[in-house]
Each structure stands twice: as C-alpha cells, then as structure tokens.
Amino acid sequence: TLPAARALAEASGMRPVRQLIQMARNLYDVPESVVPHSVSVRTYRGPDDDAELLRVNNAAFASHPEQGGWTLDTITSRKREPWFSAEGFRVHRSDGVIDGFCWTKLHTDATETLGEIYAVGVDPSVASRGIGRRLVIEGLRHLASAGANTAMLYVDADNAPAMAVYSSLGFASHHSELAFVGDVEAAS
C-alpha cells in the first residue's frame, strides 16, 4: 500500500485485486472459551484426521487463492514445515465429525516469540454457530501458553464475517498489503 508501489503498479497498467490485512493483539488477556458439552476441541491426531480436515478446508476455502483446493500432499507438506506443531493445530468436533480447525504457528526468529493464527476453517454447513470464534480463542490460549506475547493473523479485507470475529476478540489492524494484477511485457 506504499505510494511508490501503487504508482509503479498503476504505471505498469496493473490494478489492485486483493487487500490483505494483518491484524494483531496482545496475549495478556485471552478470553475464556465456553465450549458446550456436545462438542469437543482437541489437538490434531495425525493422518487419521487428514481426510476430514481436507474436506472442511476445501469447503471453507472453496474460492480462496491459497487455502482452497488442498490435497493430501498439501497438508503433508505443511506438516513438514519447521513451525508445525500438532499442539498448535486445534480441531473442533460436533456429533463425532470434524467441522472446524484452527492452525497456529510460533515465530521464534524475532526478539520475542510471535504467535500466528495461520488458518481457521469452519465447514459452511455449520457456519454462524460460533465455532470459528471458539477455535480462535483456543488458538490464542495455545499461543499464550507456548510463550507468545502477541498474536497476529492475515485476513482478506472483504471477509467481513472474519473481520468482525477478529475485532470482537481484540485484534486490530496493524497494516495492509495489496495484490495487483495486469499484463506486463517481458523484458527482452
């Protein structure tokens, strides 16, 4: 969103198509999670969870450019990342079926440990039941217990329901980034 970046993109005939907001909050006062007895939130249990998680992920992010259309290879490659921790991968179940997840990351390469809500996915068939909110709270509680002082996440600016949930949980906009598209001639 820097003026020079915008000017360069516009001079090249590119146009903004996506705005990504980074939101952040401190982890000193994480809200309590109220989880009804009919559901459970637990940690990821390995490959036995993968098929259900892929179903939920691909339904929740059907039109998302990075998170949608995952395969077993995609989830396997993410689990090989150095930041992966099963403890930081929370799974929500209702009636014995996975219907949501919250995947977190810990960034330990900075002065302080930074926690990230990497992805929150809820099956659209159970949307608007507060599952996403519960999962974010569970993710925040995990990040705080793992030593992070701050949590951050990225969200598309046009995702009003997610922005509302994150704002209600104390997240505030930290900065934004724009993605531009257009036809650019190759240099010869």
Side-chain angles (χ1 to χ4, degrees):
T1 57
L2 297 173
R6 281 179 168 270
L8 177 63
E10 289 168 7
S12 301
M14 301 178 88
R15 64 192 181 290
V17 294
R18 185 177 180 208
Q19 183 179 13
L20 199 59
I21 307 284
Q22 184 192 73
M23 301 180 84
R25 64 156 288 155
N26 72 51
L27 290 172
Y28 301 115
D29 61 344
V30 176
E32 289 295 319
S33 178
V34 180
V35 180
H37 296 294
S38 62
V39 300
S40 68
V41 177
R42 62 166 172 78
T43 59
Y44 170 74
R45 292 187 180 157
D48 290 345
D49 286 342
D50 289 349
E52 283 188 85
L53 287 168
L54 285 172
R55 178 189 52 75
V56 171
N57 183 82
N58 291 337
F61 296 103
S63 62
H64 194 275
E66 290 108 22
Q67 193 73 23
W70 279 24
T71 65
L72 184 56
D73 288 341
T74 310
I75 199 168
T76 300
S77 73
R78 295 301 188 283
K79 293 187 305 186
R80 289 186 187 129
E81 293 291 333
W83 51 262
F84 176 75
S85 163
E87 283 295 313
F89 197 171
R90 303 301 171 139
V91 175
H92 187 278
R93 294 172 53 91
S94 298
D95 301 321
V97 177
I98 293 175
D99 57 8
F101 64 87
C102 178
W103 202 341
T104 66
K105 286 184 182 183
L106 284 171
H107 299 272
T108 57
D109 52 349
T111 306
E112 69 171 319
T113 299
L114 175 67
E116 179 180 348
I117 301 292
Y118 172 62
V120 178
V122 176
D123 189 316
S125 69
V126 295
S128 301
R129 294 186 187 172
I131 294 170
R133 179 181 179 80
R134 274 187 228 127
L135 283 163
V136 172
I137 292 169
E138 291 294 321
L140 293 174
R141 293 172 60 78
H142 165 72
L143 293 170
S145 71
N149 297 318
T150 302
M152 53 80 70
L153 55 81
Y154 291 95
V155 60
D156 282 291
D158 64 357
N159 188 343
M163 295 281 289
V165 168
Y166 300 144
S167 294
S168 75
L169 290 172
F171 283 91
S173 179
H174 185 265
H175 76 271
S176 67
E177 299 170 5
L178 290 173
F180 293 87
V181 298
D183 295 326
V184 179
E185 288 188 35
S188 49

